[in-house]
Amino acid sequence: MTQSETFLGRKQFGTNNTWRKCTKSLRRNRLILSLYLLILCFFKASEAFVFLSEGHQHHQQQQHHQRNSISRRQPFIHATSSEQIIMKSSSVDDAVVGKKGDELEDAYENEDADDSNSNNNSNDPKEIFHVFASFLRSQQSLLISQLEELDDSNQKFSYDAWGSFLGEDKDDIEEKLKNGGSGGITRVIQNGKVIEKGACSLTLIQNGKLTAERARSITGRQGNDAVDIKEGDTFSAAALSIVLHTRSPMVPTFRSDVRIFMVQTCTSQKEEKEGDNPQTKTLAWFGGGADLTPYYLFDEDISSFHKKYQTLCDSYFSETNDTDNDENDTDANIFTYSKMKNECDRYFYLPARSEHRGTGGIFFDDMSATNKTLAFVQGVANTWLPSWRPIVEKRHPIPYTDQQRNWQLLRRGRYLEFNLLYDRGVKFGLANANPRVEGVMVSAPPLIAWEYNHAIEPGSEEHRLMQILKNPKEW
């Protein structure tokens, strides 16, 4: 008997039968244990497979989510011409540089939250004001570079910053908007080859207080009793304007601007009187336009200029088929090309002379600020140079006489008459307690002439121009 048998055998269990039974039971238990371990391993392997599959699926979903987040980033700017190169996209691209892992995922999740908030407040006046003001700053820089290239001389636009745009962070308009700063940048070129004097001015005003006169002016134009705009209400405004007085009388003067005006007010004065809690409401409107002041008529140039703006207007406010317009979209019926063209003719009119300042273009005011109108107004600014530059390139090389130059100076006198006597923007700027006169009057021509009782020869090109200025035509 071996030592193991002595330990597990007869001395331990007694008989041979007992030993055999014990051995058989031990083998059976060992088999059951093996089967249990095998089943356990199978289940553990299954769980691991499911975990890995779910992890892979989550990774694919995360990549898909990130790709969708990137593809959803659309530019704020509605580009309407081949020359438009500014694209203001979501800032998440810059924000996620250097991030990885969970930080990257969090950045895109935050972007989705921002997109959701933006969609929920798609027509929020404050958001539209912020986007538009940023667009104006970028557009000013773009215009300056293009105009200097067009002028092709040694003259450059000066840089005159004022208000909150002074200092080292003068170009950071986002910071100005965040901190409620006000100021502007006036850029002027003088004695150029093509542009004898040109100005491109950016203005940003925030948290101003309406005077009684300005409040009455706004309320009178709105004609809406539900919104009571009154003295002391808070307003903000942003504008970009451009005036280009050409050296050659064969090239028309070009003037244009786009602007936004936002005001915070109570919804109704009646609620206040009846003891109800008045609701604070923020409203915003766009204004702007573009027009030509020619000295000698080239009909095809004027027609081409009008056609570009007509095409733009028709793409937003169609007048060919009113049934295509949303019945709730009142702008679709108010701001058609024909109405904006007629408004331009009506606005740039010198009643004392019974003549219009130029051959017009488009002019609009009190346009409710929405995402749609934001895109339209940006489109107007993007059409400025494409509508004027072809005329410059075609007519600037034409030689002219001293007599034709003198006629240009006489017509510039009419231009200044309008600015001083009738222009709302000039009146608005000079109404401040301490106006920036240089900035307000920057649109004035560099040289002008007045001649007492100037006689125009019948049948001349000057006479033909005057006939159009007294009786505007459809171009």
Side-chain angles (χ1 to χ4, degrees):
M1 182 181 297
T2 65
Q3 184 177 0
S4 61
E5 287 177 330
T6 303
F7 179 75
L8 294 174
R10 296 180 180 88
K11 291 184 178 181
Q12 179 76 16
F13 299 100
T15 64
N16 289 335
N17 290 337
T18 303
W19 165 255
R20 283 193 294 271
K21 289 180 181 180
C22 179
T23 302
K24 186 176 181 180
S25 175
L26 184 62
R27 289 174 181 170
R28 184 172 61 249
N29 291 341
R30 188 179 298 168
L31 178 62
I32 293 172
L33 179 62
S34 298
L35 288 174
Y36 173 78
L37 291 175
L38 182 63
I39 293 172
L40 181 63
C41 290
F42 174 78
F43 277 110
K44 290 295 182 181
S46 299
E47 289 178 1
F49 177 78
V50 170
F51 176 79
L52 291 174
S53 298
E54 289 179 347
H56 178 68
Q57 183 179 5
H58 173 74
H59 177 68
Q60 288 183 322
Q61 290 175 347
Q62 180 180 355
Q63 287 183 324
H64 178 70
H65 165 73
Q66 292 177 359
R67 286 195 297 268
N68 287 345
S69 297
I70 294 173
S71 65
R72 280 199 305 273
R73 295 190 200 108
Q74 299 296 325
F76 284 128
I77 297 171
H78 178 81
T80 60
S81 72
S82 60
E83 296 189 21
Q84 176 56 35
I85 60 173
I86 301 177
M87 304 292 282
K88 178 175 175 57
S89 302
S90 171
S91 60
V92 170
D93 286 64
D94 295 330
V96 301
V97 173
K99 292 176 182 278
K100 52 188 177 180
D102 294 337
E103 290 181 312
L104 182 63
E105 184 176 0
D106 291 342
Y108 283 107
E109 288 177 354
N110 290 337
E111 181 196 19
D112 287 341
D114 292 341
D115 289 344
S116 176
N117 292 335
S118 177
N119 291 334
N120 292 336
N121 302 285
S122 59
N123 289 324
D124 177 25
K126 294 181 180 179
E127 176 65 20
I128 291 174
F129 183 91
H130 185 109
V131 171
F132 187 64
S134 298
F135 165 78
L136 296 185
R137 179 66 188 100
S138 299
Q139 191 74 359
Q140 185 186 38
S141 298
L142 176 66
L143 287 168
I144 296 303
S145 63
Q146 292 180 336
L147 289 171
E148 287 181 343
E149 182 267 332
L150 176 64
D151 192 72
D152 191 26
S153 69
N154 294 327
Q155 302 301 320
K156 302 297 181 183
F157 278 84
S158 62
Y159 190 103
D160 181 18
W162 55 279
S164 63
F165 284 88
L166 290 169
E168 295 180 359
D169 62 341
K170 58 188 178 184
D171 291 327
D172 189 2
I173 194 169
E174 298 293 336
E175 191 68 22
K176 309 296 181 296
L177 290 166
K178 180 180 178 181
N179 296 333
S182 297
I185 304 171
T186 302
R187 307 291 304 271
V188 178
I189 186 172
Q190 300 181 94
N191 301 314
K193 185 188 298 184
V194 174
I195 306 168
E196 189 172 7
K197 180 187 175 186
C200 186
S201 302
L202 172 72
T203 304
L204 175 66
I205 301 173
Q206 295 188 96
N207 301 320
K209 297 297 180 182
L210 284 177
T211 64
E213 181 180 359
R214 288 179 182 175
R216 284 194 299 269
S217 174
I218 297 170
T219 304
R221 294 203 312 272
Q222 294 300 315
N224 187 354
D225 294 332
V227 180
D228 179 46
I229 298 173
K230 55 189 178 299
E231 180 182 6
D233 283 343
T234 301
F235 78 93
S236 297
L240 180 66
S241 63
I242 185 168
V243 180
L244 303 171
H245 294 289
T246 54
R247 183 172 295 280
S248 169
M250 300 300 160
V251 181
T253 288
F254 176 65
R255 184 223 65 90
S256 54
D257 78 302
V258 287
R259 57 192 180 273
I260 187 170
F261 190 89
M262 181 174 70
V263 63
Q264 271 191 324
T265 187
C266 294
T267 54
S268 175
Q269 204 172 38
K270 181 179 178 181
E271 292 176 350
E272 207 170 355
K273 291 179 179 178
E274 292 178 351
D276 296 336
N277 292 325
Q279 297 287 323
T280 299
K281 189 170 186 179
T282 302
L283 304 168
W285 303 273
F286 286 116
D291 63 275
L292 291 179
T293 302
Y295 309 102
Y296 288 92
L297 279 178
F298 295 92
D299 290 32
E300 63 270 30
D301 295 345
I302 311 302
S303 295
S304 175
F305 179 85
H306 278 266
K307 183 63 177 177
K308 282 184 170 60
Y309 289 98
Q310 181 178 8
T311 300
L312 173 67
C313 294
D314 288 349
S315 67
Y316 287 92
F317 313 110
S318 175
E319 53 190 332
T320 57
N321 186 359
D322 290 341
T323 60
D324 293 338
N325 296 322
D326 186 349
E327 61 181 4
N328 296 321
D329 185 5
T330 57
D331 289 336
N333 298 318
I334 297 174
F335 295 103
T336 61
Y337 163 74
S338 60
K339 291 179 180 178
M340 284 189 276
K341 191 267 184 190
N342 292 336
E343 184 62 19
C344 187
D345 291 335
R346 187 199 66 79
Y347 182 79
F348 294 105
Y349 179 71
L350 291 87
R353 299 282 188 178
S354 298
E355 64 188 47
H356 295 79
R357 192 179 73 176
T359 52
I362 61 170
F363 181 89
F364 57 95
D365 216 345
D366 304 319
M367 178 184 285
S368 298
T370 65
N371 276 342
K372 175 183 176 180
T373 56
L374 168 65
F376 168 73
V377 178
Q378 289 174 329
V380 171
N382 292 335
T383 309
W384 287 348
L385 281 192
S387 67
W388 184 68
R389 183 169 187 153
I391 301 174
V392 175
E393 294 172 342
K394 204 185 314 183
R395 306 305 173 189
H396 177 71
I398 299 176
Y400 55 88
T401 65
D402 290 341
Q403 182 271 331
Q404 290 171 326
R405 169 66 170 173
N406 187 62
W407 171 249
Q408 178 191 38
L409 299 183
L410 288 171
R411 292 309 308 168
R412 283 181 178 178
R414 298 289 200 269
Y415 194 101
L416 188 59
E417 282 183 28
F418 175 84
N419 280 12
L420 293 175
L421 297 175
Y422 308 110
D423 187 70
R424 282 207 304 259
V426 173
K427 289 182 177 180
F428 185 91
L430 295 177
N432 293 318
N434 297 296
R436 290 185 71 254
V437 178
E438 289 295 317
V440 175
M441 297 299 296
V442 74
S443 62
L447 296 172
I448 59 174
W450 276 288
E451 183 178 314
Y452 179 74
N453 201 21
H454 178 77
I456 300 175
E457 182 181 349
S460 65
E461 282 299 307
E462 293 84 359
H463 181 263
R464 189 167 81 92
L465 173 66
M466 291 307 301
Q467 293 303 109
I468 295 295
L469 296 183
K470 290 184 176 293
N471 300 286
K473 60 175 287 187
E474 298 297 324
W475 295 97

